[in-house]
Amino acid sequence: MEATARELPFPVWLAAIFGFAKAGFLALMGVIGVLAWNGVSDPWGIGSLIMAALFGIASYMLMRGNRVARIVLAALAVIGGVTAIVFAFIGPTSAILPSITTAVLDAIVLWLLYGVRSSKEYFGT
C-alpha cells in the first residue's frame, strides 16, 4: 500500500520560512561576532551560531511535519521574543524598534504554529 503524505499547511510553511530567515540572520551575525571577537567586550558570536543551527534544524524538521520541531521552534521564538523585549528596555535607544520588531515576528511565528486552525489540525492538537 502506498502511504499518502499530508500536505504542509501554508501557516506551518510560513513559520518554517521565518525560522530559516532567522537562522540565516543569526548565522551572519555569528560570523561577524567571531571575526570581531577581539574587538568586542562581550563575545556573542558562538551563541549566535548555535542559535542559528537550532533554528535551521527546527525549521527543516518542521517542513517535514515533525511535532517536536514545532515545540522547539516555538520555544526558540519565546526565548527570542523575551530576550528582545528585555533588550528593548536595557539596550541602547537605537535598539528599541529592532527589538520590538523581533518580538512581534516571534509572536507571529507562535501564532502561525499554535493559533491557526490548519496548523492545529495538521499536528493533531
Side-chain angles (χ1 to χ4, degrees), residues 46-69:
I46 300 297
S48 185
L49 288 173
I50 291 169
M51 288 296 285
L54 290 174
F55 264 103
I57 292 168
S59 297
Y60 174 75
M61 295 305 293
L62 185 68
M63 297 271 300
R64 304 202 32 112
N66 190 313
R67 290 181 184 174
V68 174

Side-chain angles (χ1 to χ4, degrees), residues 5-122:
R6 297 179 299 164
E7 187 175 325
L8 192 68
F10 178 74
V12 176
W13 176 84
L14 188 59
I17 295 301
F18 272 109
F20 283 128
K22 193 153 186 175
F25 176 75
L26 287 171
L28 177 65
M29 292 297 106
V31 169
I32 291 170
V34 168
L35 293 176
W37 190 278
N38 292 330
V40 294
S41 61
D42 187 20
W44 44 267
I46 300 297
S48 185
L49 288 173
I50 291 169
M51 288 296 285
L54 290 174
F55 264 103
I57 292 168
S59 297
Y60 174 75
M61 295 305 293
L62 185 68
M63 297 271 300
R64 304 202 32 112
N66 190 313
R67 290 181 184 174
V68 174
R70 179 185 185 209
I71 295 167
V72 170
L73 194 58
L76 291 170
V78 167
I79 292 168
V82 168
T83 304
I85 293 295
V86 168
F87 194 67
F89 288 103
I90 66 169
T93 56
S94 62
I96 293 173
L97 186 60
S99 296
I100 291 172
T101 303
T102 300
V104 168
L105 290 175
D106 286 327
I108 289 171
V109 168
L110 287 173
W111 176 74
L112 288 170
L113 291 175
Y114 289 95
V116 180
R117 183 176 41 157
S118 61
S119 296
K120 293 177 188 177
E121 291 171 356
Y122 182 73

